[in-house]
Amino acid sequence: MILMVVSDDHGRDTFEQAYADAVKRYGTVDALFHAGDTGRYDNEYYTSICGCQAYIVKGNNDFNANPQELTVDVGGKKIFLTHGHRYGVYTGVERLYFAGLERNADIIIYGHTHIPLHQSGDKLEIINPGSVAGIRSNTKSYAIIDIQGDITKTTFHYL
């Protein structure tokens, strides 16, 4: 199962480019996880492009009706999705880690910092795809989580 992970596009027209790149590399995307700060785009924008299930949370710059966080089961993994600003992620991911443990998550996905990160431990994985728009980091990035049974592989891609 191929999961595309994006965050922080802030209304810039870069998701379409990232999605096309993901399909070129993987052939398909089974689900989209967006960790917030979508800007001017609504959920229909993303689903109309990817045609797959989209899980999207509200970021600190969003004024939409999306939830602040979601916990979903996908591909046999429990995924906790949040923007991260409520967990102080600029100073570390400890609070986020414990929030994931409380939810029995296998994978935590967050955004907000615009910096790609992947930490894998005994209990769970923490993934930040960076900013698909390249805001602040000047690097446009997204992540792919490839779930094959009990094995997950996370790869970052740069546009």
Side-chain angles (χ1 to χ4, degrees):
M1 174 166 269
I2 301 295
L3 311 180
M4 182 175 187
V5 183
V6 300
S7 188
D8 295 282
D9 47 350
H10 291 278
R12 305 248 174 119
D13 296 329
T14 52
F15 174 72
E16 292 179 54
Q17 180 185 4
Y19 180 74
D21 185 69
V23 169
K24 182 179 176 184
R25 291 173 186 270
Y26 294 92
T28 187
V29 171
D30 298 306
L32 170 69
F33 285 80
H34 195 304
D37 279 356
T38 61
R40 63 188 166 121
Y41 295 120
D42 61 11
N43 295 4
E44 189 175 300
Y45 166 78
Y46 299 99
T47 57
S48 70
I49 293 168
C50 70
C52 63
Q53 177 68 51
Y55 302 96
I56 304 171
V57 294
K58 182 186 297 193
N60 63 304
N61 290 303
D62 289 331
F63 300 98
N64 54 44
N66 290 333
Q68 294 286 335
E69 51 191 50
L70 288 171
T71 303
V72 296
D73 291 305
V74 176
K77 301 292 181 183
K78 185 172 277 191
I79 300 174
F80 172 46
L81 175 66
T82 186
H83 186 59
H85 63 292
R86 294 179 169 211
Y87 294 94
V89 294
Y90 275 122
T91 59
V93 294
E94 293 80 15
R95 288 177 49 204
L96 186 62
Y97 173 80
F98 288 114
L101 287 179
E102 288 173 356
R103 290 159 179 80
N104 295 313
D106 299 301
I107 300 169
I108 298 170
I109 296 171
Y110 77 103
H112 191 56
T113 66
H114 298 215
I115 299 169
L117 173 97
H118 179 222
Q119 290 184 348
S120 184
D122 292 339
K123 304 247 184 225
L124 51 80
E125 293 184 59
I126 302 173
I127 300 164
N128 184 329
S131 169
V132 74
I135 297 170
R136 285 189 290 195
S137 65
N138 293 321
T139 302
K140 298 175 185 176
S141 62
Y142 69 94
I144 293 290
I145 304 171
D146 185 358
I147 300 173
Q148 302 295 325
D150 289 340
I151 308 289
T152 62
K153 179 182 178 187
T154 300
T155 308
F156 292 96
H157 298 285
Y158 300 89
L159 304 174

